[in-house]
Amino acid sequence: HRIENSAADPVQLEIFNHLFMSVAEQMGLVLEQTASSVNIKERLDFSCALFDTQGELIANAPHIPVHLGSMSESIKVVMRGQPAMRPGDAFVLNTPYNGGTHLPDVTVVKPVFISPFKPGNCADFYVAARGHHADIGGVTPGSMPAHSRHIEEEGVLLDNLLLMRDGELQEQSIRHVLASARYPARNPDQNIADLAAQLAACEKGAAELQRLCAQYGLNTVQLRMQQVLDNAEYTLRHALKQLPSGQFSAQMDDGTQFKVRIDVDAERGSALVDFTGTHYRPDQPQHPGNFNAPSSVVMAAVLYS
């Protein structure tokens, strides 16, 4: 079952593309069935994905587009901030400054170890589940205040915290964080229930990756992941070669200007996307309210479009 060369066979590539997507879709099904809040269980505001050992996105089930390009940033934040991670660990974060979107979108990240573990080893894979919690604190219920001007007003900031150690949910420490913010979570029981559901989804993803590696071998699965990435790059570069360069602008009701210039290099199949000139006012580039997008959201929007 192990392959000896790195040539990408189109049939095998398609098979593994579907196998990887199936892992993410099964994670989503577990999350939908076990979540507590209406936002996740019924409104389906969640995303599940798997990533390679470098934290690069391999498969993201077709859930919420803005999650698509930003979750990889969350994985890399965990990788940088948790160098001593080990089997049985999971981490939680929602900070917009580190791969998040807005505070209600809480991401659970689980490293997956297939090889025999040695301290300091990188995980072989990562799985993640992001869900929109019904409330994470803030000045208004629902944690999406229309007139907020500071991140504290939106709710509790979870910045790469340990959620599970040796397979045990760190419930008391998470409850302490949820209760100790300036505007604490209103229903921490539901937050804990949703986090447990996200952990269950990640455990499902980890189990499916274990099964794939048992069937095909770790080296083969990792090689196929690299081929998926290579094929995605080739496909995107080919698509970019067909697009013209251009510049565009739009204005919001409050006068905020959006400007973007796209310079396509048809020879290389690449594009430079430049948002210079986007501002609230010429003397105030940052919006005074909550319309400012973190870099991970800008990346997600660009990738999606």
Side-chain angles (χ1 to χ4, degrees):
H1 286 61
R2 289 164 174 79
I3 53 180
E4 297 177 355
N5 60 68
S6 60
D9 176 74
V11 175
Q12 289 293 316
L13 182 65
E14 190 70 9
I15 289 171
F16 274 86
N17 250 326
H18 283 275
L19 285 172
F20 296 145
M21 187 61 76
S22 173
V23 173
E25 289 173 343
Q26 289 182 71
M27 291 173 65
L29 187 61
V30 169
L31 180 53
E32 178 184 348
Q33 291 179 337
T34 58
S36 173
S37 66
V38 171
N39 280 13
I40 299 176
K41 194 174 190 68
E42 297 183 25
R43 200 164 61 77
L44 307 183
D45 192 343
F46 63 81
S47 283
C48 297
L50 63 146
F51 307 80
D52 69 5
T53 188
Q54 305 297 326
E56 297 294 336
L57 176 67
I58 300 300
N60 196 133
H63 295 138
I64 300 294
V66 76
H67 297 172
L68 190 78
S70 59
M71 268 210 286
S72 183
E73 293 299 302
S74 294
I75 305 299
K76 292 171 183 176
V77 166
V78 170
M79 292 171 66
R80 291 192 300 267
Q82 303 285 351
M85 67 176 67
R86 61 193 197 220
D89 282 356
F91 308 92
V92 61
L93 65 165
N94 67 350
T95 168
Y97 312 112
N98 278 331
T101 50
H102 58 172
L103 295 191
D105 281 343
V106 179
T107 306
V108 171
V109 177
K110 177 177 175 60
V112 182
F113 295 88
I114 307 294
S115 307
F117 175 71
K118 295 180 181 178
N121 276 13
C122 294
D124 295 300
F125 311 104
Y126 296 88
V127 290
R130 175 175 287 177
H132 184 125
H133 285 223
D135 185 273
I136 197 75
V139 294
T140 59
S143 308
M144 295 177 63
H147 304 293
S148 59
R149 290 174 175 263
H150 191 277
I151 193 69
E152 281 187 342
E153 297 175 358
E154 198 173 282
V156 180
L157 204 64
L158 306 169
D159 195 0
N160 194 7
L161 305 179
L162 183 67
L163 177 64
M164 186 169 70
R165 171 53 50 92
D166 297 327
E168 183 177 342
L169 177 66
Q170 305 297 293
E171 181 173 342
Q172 292 309 311
S173 62
I174 297 299
R175 283 184 179 274
H176 175 73
V177 174
L178 291 172
S180 60
R182 182 179 180 187
Y183 302 102
R186 294 170 175 80
N187 188 358
D189 289 344
Q190 187 173 74
N191 295 121
I192 294 296
D194 282 339
L195 288 172
Q198 289 172 263
L199 275 174
C202 289
E203 293 289 353
K204 176 63 174 176
E208 289 300 309
L209 285 169
Q210 294 272 5
R211 184 181 63 81
L212 283 179
C213 290
Q215 182 174 357
Y216 297 101
L218 173 61
N219 292 338
T220 298
V221 173
Q222 289 185 325
L223 177 60
R224 294 306 187 196
M225 284 188 172
Q226 184 58 53
Q227 290 171 344
V228 167
L229 288 175
D230 291 343
N231 182 66
E233 179 179 344
Y234 171 82
T235 304
L236 182 55
R237 287 189 184 278
H238 179 73
L240 287 172
K241 289 178 180 179
Q242 318 302 316
L243 296 179
S245 298
Q247 52 186 352
F248 312 90
S249 63
Q251 189 175 41
M252 290 178 62
D253 292 346
D254 67 355
T256 301
Q257 285 278 352
F258 286 91
K259 291 186 178 181
V260 62
R261 179 184 179 90
I262 306 171
D263 293 316
V264 176
D265 185 336
E267 184 176 341
R268 294 181 61 237
S270 64
L272 176 66
V273 183
D274 187 351
F275 289 94
T276 299
T278 297
H279 54 65
Y280 173 61
R281 291 198 312 252
D283 63 330
Q284 190 173 352
Q286 179 169 304
H287 197 282
N290 56 15
F291 287 106
N292 301 293
S295 58
S296 59
V297 168
V298 177
M299 186 183 302
V302 170
L303 288 173
Y304 182 67
S305 60

